[in-house]
Amino acid sequence: MRVPKERALTILALAFAFAGACVFLLRVHIGLSLLEFGDEAEKYVAAQLIVAGKKLYLDIFAHHGPVPYMLSHWYAVLYSDSDFTYARVIVIALALMAAFSIFVSPAFRSWSARGWATGSFLLIISSIWVLSSIQMLLYQQITAFLALVAVFQLLLPTMMGRVPTRVGSCAAGAAVTLACFASYAVGPAVVCLVLGAFVPLIKNHAVLKRVLLPFLLGVLISLAVVLIWMFSYGDLTGYFAYHFYFNQVIYSKFIDVSLGDMKDLFAFELKPISYTQDLSVVWLLAAAALLSVVVMRSSTQLKAFKLLAVLLTIFFALLLNPRGKYGFHGTAFVLANCALFIAAIALLIDRAFVSWNLRRQAFWVAVLAISVIGMEAVSRISISSPHGILKRDLASNRVTLRPPPGGELGFVRSITEKNGDLLALVFNPSVYLLTDRRPASGHYYYLPWQAAYKRNPILGHNIDICADIANNSPAVIWFHDWKVWDQYAIADYEPCVPQLLSERYAPLQPDGHWYLRKDIHAQERWVPPTAATVLQPSQPLAPGNNIEVIFPDRHVSEGAALQRVGVLFGTYANTGRGKAELRLEGPGADAYHAEFDLAQLDDNQYRFFDVNGGHFDRGTIEAVSGGGVSSWENHSQAEAVLTCVALDYVDGTRRVTAGCPFH
């Protein structure tokens, strides 16, 4: 009777793991388009600069480790360096990798325990995926998921007296190495993890050798990958200057780091921002107790060493959040706590399964189920970090990580070169992503600690933002005079920036954030949108159904001479057939007629007509034969319908209909 029941329980656990994976994928995909955070966006901007030929830590300021930038760079090369909509898939892949390491962990003897552990892990993290900003490509998430590979492939197996596989040991070595290159701050936690994994093997030299050699091979493989990438796309001395020296000597003075801050992890503030972390701390304490019980009940030797491994495991988790912070700063800590708690419960399920104690199995499975439900319940009364939004309201906070058409962004694209013609200060890296423009300085944001480093640089690594503004003269600067942490104004920590802005730039609109270089500002004729822009296609062109070309009011009132007129056509992704004629008229005797082939129109692109200095303020497009195309029109709430036109004047300036795209 036992074998059929074993098979049934195993199938049930594996079905739970499969269901957990399905629910995870269904829930986390929405995170691809929810919430924007500058700390993540700056990774994508760095990737754009690397693709453009710049080097990390040499031409590009960055004080985080290289791994997040490596992942962003590979995405930009393999998929797109202008559309980062799917970059967060990388984090989903890392989470699934961690889940797979749980599923195949040698720490568990039964597939039943593996199934319950894997499904519970995926369900719990799906509950807090967006709430804790896990969906974002940040070093906290990266280090957590990498470290969990080593926990389940190396640490827990040796603690339980099992022999890790050679592949698992190699993966563990590679994972902890990459975690350290994601952020040097995770180094102490990794040391505890590795010591905890090898302490139980001190007196078993045969197993130690079997585990250590593939572990070191994994370390060397990851080290080689990082170094090859760094030699190709980064700078090692700059890595030391900006990652180690900068964080230890400069940045630490602004954030007041102390290991004593870890006591705050046990403060249990019981606030919406801290609920999920508070629960995870309870789980960590429970994991410590349960792992100790499992070790003490073990029939193997070296219990003292294994208890030491348990202690080191707890220190590993605590050191993932040495500043004792809530919110996204503690994401790695929360993920580790959840995984360790699940692991402890799964090990007890494993023992009950092997000894065939159905009652205990049911009890511990029920504990896991209650834990999953508990985290879901807690998540629903928590607020997200760093945005402070309730879980039920998250879905309404969609963002785009690709350049949208039209409006101010389209106008900025029309007057800037792709590389080195835009700067966004003080801190808004998303501007570069939304405009698809590369920054004019390696300091593509500028915060007080960067200015502090500028006054105390080392090894010749120093990017001068004011020199970059003065020498590169970007056409456009986006500027928000943000007082960082309500303490530091850029006028105080880098006064040359607002001085250059005042001397050389003029605001596009009063009280706006866009500033144009004064020579461009004097020329550009741009009509800012006065209401929400709605772009719609005109009625399709057909014989007897003409398309009216309606020019912007300011052009009509100015009456300036035109060199070219561009009309934005939509072909509905089909090749039009036949011919049409553009007829333009002006206030005087000026007239223009031009026949053109509909088959040569590109969908959602401007078709330009040379009008050679004529004065025109209205027009029509008439079907000569065929039809089926439309012009794009701006249907705003407060203005009449306007055709999307791009008007090139004889003096070299351009006007684009407000709200219409122009690339």
Side-chain angles (χ1 to χ4, degrees):
M1 284 294 294
R2 176 173 172 175
V3 172
K5 287 184 178 179
E6 279 187 359
R7 186 179 296 114
L9 289 174
T10 299
I11 291 173
L12 180 62
L14 294 178
F16 177 74
F18 178 76
C22 292
V23 171
F24 171 80
L25 292 173
L26 287 172
R27 297 184 78 174
V28 303
H29 84 280
I30 193 173
L32 296 176
S33 60
L34 288 186
L35 303 177
E36 178 272 333
F37 188 33
D39 285 21
E40 177 192 29
E42 67 97 359
K43 308 295 187 297
Y44 303 147
V45 177
Q48 292 178 323
L49 285 170
I50 294 168
V51 170
K54 304 294 184 182
K55 286 203 167 188
L56 190 70
Y57 307 122
L58 180 64
D59 308 305
I60 306 167
F61 170 81
H63 67 106
H64 296 145
V67 168
Y69 299 99
M70 291 169 61
L71 295 173
S72 300
H73 174 235
W74 290 336
Y75 173 91
V77 170
L78 296 174
Y79 183 74
S80 172
D81 68 342
S82 60
D83 181 358
F84 287 88
T85 303
Y86 302 105
R88 293 172 175 177
V89 170
I90 297 170
V91 188
I92 297 175
L94 290 172
L96 291 173
M97 178 189 69
F100 182 74
S101 74
I102 296 173
F103 189 69
V104 297
S105 174
F108 307 120
R109 292 170 292 179
S110 67
W111 287 105
S112 178
R114 293 186 172 109
W116 293 117
T118 305
S120 299
F121 175 74
L122 289 171
L123 287 173
I124 285 174
I125 66 173
S126 73
S127 294
I128 58 173
W129 187 257
V130 178
L131 198 71
S132 297
S133 296
I134 302 174
Q135 88 276 20
M136 296 184 184
L137 190 61
L138 302 172
Y139 74 84
Q140 291 93 342
Q141 293 81 312
I142 295 170
T143 56
F145 289 131
L146 289 171
L148 289 180
V149 172
V151 167
F152 284 91
Q153 291 301 307
L154 186 63
L155 174 61
L156 290 176
T158 60
M159 186 189 298
M160 294 299 111
R162 320 267 192 268
V163 179
T165 65
R166 287 188 172 89
V167 172
S169 300
C170 184
V176 295
T177 304
L178 289 174
C180 290
F181 277 107
S183 172
Y184 81 93
V186 80
V190 165
V191 169
C192 289
L193 191 163
V194 174
L195 287 176
F198 285 102
V199 160
L201 303 179
I202 286 177
K203 294 188 176 181
N204 193 334
H205 299 292
V207 176
L208 179 62
K209 182 178 179 180
R210 173 188 170 89
V211 173
L212 184 59
L213 290 179
F215 176 83
L216 292 176
L217 177 62
V219 170
L220 291 175
I221 291 172
S222 284
L223 185 62
V225 170
V226 173
L227 290 178
I228 290 172
W229 189 89
M230 285 290 290
F231 279 119
S232 302
Y233 304 105
D235 183 88
L236 287 174
T237 57
Y239 171 51
F240 175 80
Y242 288 143
H243 189 49
F244 291 92
Y245 170 81
F246 178 91
N247 285 310
Q248 282 295 311
V249 178
I250 306 296
Y251 188 51
S252 61
K253 295 177 181 177
F254 289 86
I255 58 175
D256 193 24
V257 177
S258 170
L259 284 178
D261 294 335
M262 281 199 299
K263 69 180 185 301
D264 295 336
L265 296 172
F266 302 96
F268 295 105
E269 293 190 12
L270 300 179
K271 297 178 180 178
I273 190 68
S274 69
Y275 285 153
T276 55
Q277 183 163 303
D278 289 339
L279 178 58
S280 80
V281 171
V282 174
W283 285 359
L284 177 64
L285 296 174
L290 294 174
L291 287 173
S292 299
V293 168
V294 173
V295 167
M296 291 303 295
R297 289 181 178 178
S298 173
S299 60
T300 59
Q301 303 300 312
L302 303 173
K303 290 183 180 179
F305 288 108
K306 292 180 179 180
L307 287 174
L308 177 58
V310 173
L311 182 63
L312 287 167
T313 301
I314 303 310
F315 276 110
F316 149 72
L318 293 173
L319 287 168
L320 289 174
N321 190 5
R323 294 167 59 189
K325 298 292 186 181
Y326 291 110
F328 75 94
H329 292 290
T331 297
F333 176 63
V334 171
L335 288 171
N337 294 349
C338 294
L340 290 172
F341 176 70
I342 290 167
I345 301 296
L347 287 168
L348 290 167
I349 293 174
D350 194 52
R351 288 174 60 85
F353 187 90
V354 172
S355 64
W356 197 240
N357 190 322
L358 292 177
R359 189 169 295 176
R360 286 187 180 177
Q361 283 188 66
F363 173 79
W364 291 116
V365 168
V367 171
L368 272 184
I370 292 170
S371 302
V372 171
I373 295 169
M375 182 59 84
E376 176 65 25
V378 168
S379 72
R380 295 191 178 196
I381 58 173
S382 301
I383 60 173
S384 68
S385 173
H387 300 87
I389 301 170
L390 284 168
K391 186 174 182 177
R392 65 172 178 265
D393 299 324
L394 288 172
S396 61
N397 288 269
R398 292 186 177 273
V399 296
T400 181
L401 294 174
R402 63 161 68 98
E408 291 177 327
L409 298 171
F411 171 71
V412 169
R413 279 192 291 274
S414 73
I415 63 170
T416 53
E417 300 294 332
K418 187 162 188 175
N419 294 312
D421 217 15
L422 175 67
L423 204 56
L425 303 172
V426 172
F427 186 70
N428 191 2
S430 294
V431 167
Y432 305 108
L433 303 179
L434 298 177
T435 56
D436 194 24
R437 292 295 180 262
R438 310 300 176 256
S441 173
H443 280 309
Y444 48 92
Y445 57 92
Y446 204 69
L447 298 168
W449 29 96
Q450 292 163 266
Y453 174 85
K454 177 186 172 184
R455 293 187 286 273
N456 298 278
I458 64 169
L459 302 176
H461 286 270
N462 192 17
I463 301 170
D464 190 330
I465 189 169
C466 292
D468 285 343
I469 295 174
N471 297 331
N472 298 333
S473 296
V476 178
I477 293 179
W478 185 96
F479 181 73
H480 176 214
D481 195 8
W482 173 42
K483 194 172 186 180
V484 181
W485 298 347
D486 293 323
Q487 298 181 58
Y488 309 101
I490 194 169
D492 297 325
Y493 64 81
E494 197 66 272
C496 60
V497 171
Q499 181 181 348
L500 284 167
L501 195 67
S502 174
E503 293 174 353
R504 303 189 181 191
Y505 292 82
L508 182 58
Q509 298 182 64
D511 301 321
H513 295 306
W514 295 104
Y515 288 76
L516 274 58
R517 204 172 61 227
K518 286 185 175 179
D519 60 308
I520 298 175
H521 189 277
Q523 298 176 5
E524 287 300 330
R525 297 180 174 97
W526 183 72
V527 184
T530 58
T533 298
V534 179
L535 295 183
Q536 295 180 3
S538 67
Q539 290 295 319
L541 181 68
N545 187 19
N546 301 335
I547 296 175
E548 296 294 322
V549 180
I550 306 168
F551 286 58
D553 291 341
R554 288 195 184 181
H555 165 76
V556 174
S557 62
E558 291 173 2
L562 291 164
Q563 186 64 38
R564 295 196 309 167
V565 173
V567 179
L568 182 61
F569 284 99
T571 67
Y572 304 95
N574 297 315
T575 302
R577 299 194 176 191
K579 295 183 180 296
E581 184 178 51
L582 173 67
R583 294 173 172 267
L584 299 177
E585 298 178 1
D590 288 359
Y592 175 84
H593 305 270
E595 192 173 286
F596 57 99
D597 192 340
L598 297 177
Q600 295 180 355
L601 296 178
D602 294 321
D603 194 21
N604 300 325
Q605 299 293 327
Y606 285 89
R607 166 63 157 91
F608 279 93
F609 301 86
D610 292 317
V611 296
N612 303 317
H615 294 75
F616 306 109
D617 58 15
R618 61 190 181 277
T620 58
I621 299 171
E622 300 178 1
V624 176
S625 62
V629 302
S630 296
S631 68
W632 281 101
E633 298 173 341
N634 177 356
H635 292 245
S636 69
Q637 296 175 2
E639 298 176 1
V641 174
L642 297 174
T643 307
C644 286
V645 293
L647 307 177
D648 289 348
Y649 295 92
V650 293
D651 63 2
T653 61
R654 167 177 289 156
R655 170 180 279 125
V656 179
T657 302
C660 293
F662 191 88
H663 305 286

